[in-house]
Amino acid sequence: MEAVIFFIAAIGAVGGAIGVVAARNPFYSVLALIAHLFSLAVLFLLLTSAFVAAAQVVVYAGAVMVLYVFVVAYVGSAQEAKWDPVPGQRLFAGLLAFFLFVEISAAVLSSGLRALSTHGPDVPAGFGDPAAIGNLLLEKFLVPFEASSVLLLIAAVGAIVLAGRKRQGEALGASK
Amino acid sequence: MSGAGFAAPHVDYAATAPIIALTVGLVVILMSGVFETTKRWAPGLAVMTLAATAGLLLWHWNDQIDLIAGALRVDNLAISISLIAIVSAFSTILLSIRERAAEEAGQGEYYALLIGSVLGMVLLSEAENLVTFFVAIETLSIPLYILCATNLRREGSLESGLKYLIVGSLGSATLLYGMAFIYGGTGSTDFAGIAHGIQANGMLHDPLILIGIALAAVGLAFKTSIAPFHQWTPDVYQGAPTPITNFMAVATKAAAFAVFVRFFVVALGPETGDWQLGLAILAAISIVVGNVGAIGQDSLKRLLGYSGVAQAGYMLGGIVVASEKGLSSLVFYLAAYLFMNLAAFAVIVARERETPYGDDIRGVRGLMAERPSLAWPLTISMLALAGLPATAGFIGKLYLIEALVEGSYTWLAVFIAVGTMISLAYYLRVVAAMWMGGEETAAGTSAAPGATPVISGASPEADPVDPEAGRRWYLLAPAVIAAGITVFLGVIPQPLVDFATHAGSSLF
């Protein structure tokens, strides 16, 4: 049963990812991304990480995707350039991606990790539930947790600086 | 319920005081930006924050403390790198006085972002856990993305910020990918736990760990602008406001190298034999690409960007040998690089405001006749970056080469020597432009005063011409003092050698 769900979710994830890059219409790209993120959430569930799966759906498939949709609707599907900005870029990028794929496959397949081809490690009860993650954030990872709050503050300040920039530019344009 | 087992970690407030000081300073500066009257205090508050942090850091000199469940470690390496970042930020505050970018971003926001970046650097140099490492590197980078774009009326500035954002995010993603492999293979996020896991799980030379190391090295190479991951460097350096370029060039490199060496020596210590050669090759490529790329650059900031790529290659040599001597020479070189670069950037800021040429090499033509007090610091800086004797740059390269030879990487030492010779070509070109080519050459190439010269990356209306900028204390003092220290350390290097040796002894 687990294996069946895994393959359905895995195919969904890969298919969604391909859809994101392959779709011509940005809206379809965003929809494909949602499918991709949902499939990932299912994979997280299979790894007994209920909290991460929920966060994935709420934060990414929910909040972040709404932002994406807004941006796409706001900017509109402007005609994108059909030509490569750098000659041979697509071929080169494809080759690089292929080599990275081969490299990572080789690394994973030839790894000496013992649990790779088994059903996976036996996790203790309560592993990955919100309480356990909350404990981790406030015990082991207290510093990164606090630092992230400063990071968010800085990011908010940065957003205001850049938004203020546009206002000033408009004021400048109006005064001309 | 697992929540019942919550045990708050022990927090050593004395040792976390520098970080707390920076955070408090950041918030206070941000709040000072709210009112018209307190706005002007922002630079002063930033200086006070930095001074307090430096004092609190020095208080822990020679301590070795693991903090808060092994997230941070205060030792001499972390303290010395943090001090380099703080001095660099202090000089940036001086250079930012009357800088357009600071006005346009808002004083409070500009300096708060600067302090935020310093906070990231202090955290990064102390990090000994993968999660802290990643959050710190983002805390360092995100303010810089914004600061690069703060020069509102220059198109290059926004381009620079966007380019840095995209390339920086790519670097972060690569780094994170590498971290995931390393965590997957070892089952630990602590640096010491990773080293233990590599041995205990039989993961030594395992492809999974090796690809993790490779991806992490690439991610860090993006941050330290090591070739072939350096393409963003010249563009971003040129487009960013010059004081910010000064900060990025030194402080970012210092903090990234600190975590580079801590991660590779402490966490990946068992794999030393596997990563040494790879990093050595990166260093060699960086030295060649940086030095060759700098030849023929007309923009001084681009020139210093390429020179920074080459210098990063030299410094990477200190990590390659994975020895106490190598680490000491790395810290020595970073400290020397701070002063060498500062002297150059202070002069560039002054000339940007004085002349209509921006950071073009024409701006310094005939400088020796016009403003000897600016020409001397730039001359000393260029000669020191090239590594001429009686400057800190020479001693720094000497130590690096010595460490490389002792660590049996003589071929990389040869690369440094050859790179130094190539670098003379472009450093001396700047010196020659200053000492020769007086008014007549300048008149031959430039349009009439007040006209709009077409120079890429610089538009005259963006930078108000302040004909007296070269005499302002806040530009003259950093240039002269930095040049003075560069020469002083070249003649009497012992104080800095002691400083660097203490830092080097903290990992080995």
Side-chain angles (χ1 to χ4, degrees), chain B residues 176-421:
Chain B
L176 194 59
Y177 206 179
M179 284 178 178
F181 278 113
I182 291 169
Y183 171 67
T186 59
S188 176
T189 55
D190 286 324
F191 284 6
I194 291 170
H196 175 76
I198 289 176
Q199 308 272 21
N201 302 354
M203 297 301 285
L204 206 60
H205 313 304
D206 191 274
L208 201 67
I209 298 289
L210 292 184
I211 198 167
I213 295 175
L215 288 169
V218 168
L220 284 167
F222 269 114
K223 295 285 168 192
T224 46
S225 61
I226 283 169
F229 310 104
H230 69 287
Q231 278 94 344
W232 59 274
T233 314
D235 290 354
V236 172
Y237 277 27
Q238 190 186 17
T242 314
I244 298 303
T245 313
N246 167 53
F247 181 64
M248 271 198 312
V250 178
T252 314
K253 238 179 222 138
F257 268 122
V259 80
F260 206 144
V261 70
R262 197 188 290 277
F263 184 47
F264 274 65
V265 168
V266 176
L268 305 175
E271 299 272 8
T272 304
D274 290 327
W275 52 257
Q276 268 184 318
L277 185 63
L279 292 191
I281 292 171
L282 279 184
I285 296 175
S286 207
I287 291 169
V288 173
V289 169
N291 281 321
V292 173
I295 296 174
Q297 293 295 339
D298 280 332
S299 150
L300 290 178
K301 278 155 83 180
R302 280 188 87 82
L303 188 146
L304 281 170
Y306 275 111
S307 126
V309 173
Q311 310 274 350
Y314 304 153
M315 290 185 243
L316 189 58
I319 300 181
V320 165
V321 288
S323 67
E324 184 179 341
K325 180 112 196 190
L327 179 54
S328 303
S329 58
L330 170 67
V331 174
F332 185 100
Y333 204 89
L334 278 168
Y337 188 57
L338 164 68
F339 295 112
M340 300 188 281
N341 250 353
L342 173 57
F345 277 112
V347 175
I348 295 175
V349 172
R351 293 309 282 178
E352 267 185 342
R353 296 183 195 171
E354 278 185 348
T355 69
Y357 303 117
D359 64 325
D360 196 87
I361 196 164
R362 275 180 290 169
V364 299
R365 198 161 277 168
L367 193 61
M368 193 42 97
E370 193 188 336
R371 285 232 196 288
S373 53
L374 288 182
W376 275 107
L378 188 55
T379 308
I380 290 170
S381 155
M382 288 295 135
L383 295 182
L385 283 167
L388 258 67
T391 61
F394 173 73
I395 309 280
K397 287 200 180 71
L398 201 65
Y399 276 120
L400 277 173
I401 289 175
E402 207 179 313
L404 282 169
V405 172
E406 270 177 33
S408 43
Y409 270 89
T410 314
W411 65 267
L412 191 55
V414 174
F415 263 92
I416 294 186
V418 174
T420 306
M421 280 193 283

Side-chain angles (χ1 to χ4, degrees), chain A residues 42-93:
Chain A
V42 174
L43 289 178
F44 285 136
L45 270 181
L46 285 178
L47 292 169
T48 63
S49 322
F51 179 77
V52 183
Q56 172 89 7
V57 171
V58 174
V59 178
Y60 278 99
V64 174
M65 292 322 295
V66 170
L67 269 181
Y68 273 29
V69 172
F70 265 122
V71 171
V72 169
Y74 190 64
V75 178
S77 52
Q79 272 299 313
E80 61 169 314
K82 291 276 191 292
W83 38 269
D84 292 0
V86 182
Q89 190 186 31
R90 261 171 225 208
L91 182 72
F92 190 62

Side-chain angles (χ1 to χ4, degrees), chain A residues 110-112 135 138-140 165 168, chain B residues 2 7 69 149 152 190 206-207:
Chain A
S110 61
S111 164
N135 266 354
L138 292 178
E139 286 174 3
K140 175 96 181 98
R165 170 188 179 109
Q168 282 188 18
Chain B
S2 53
L152 177 72
D190 286 324
D206 191 274

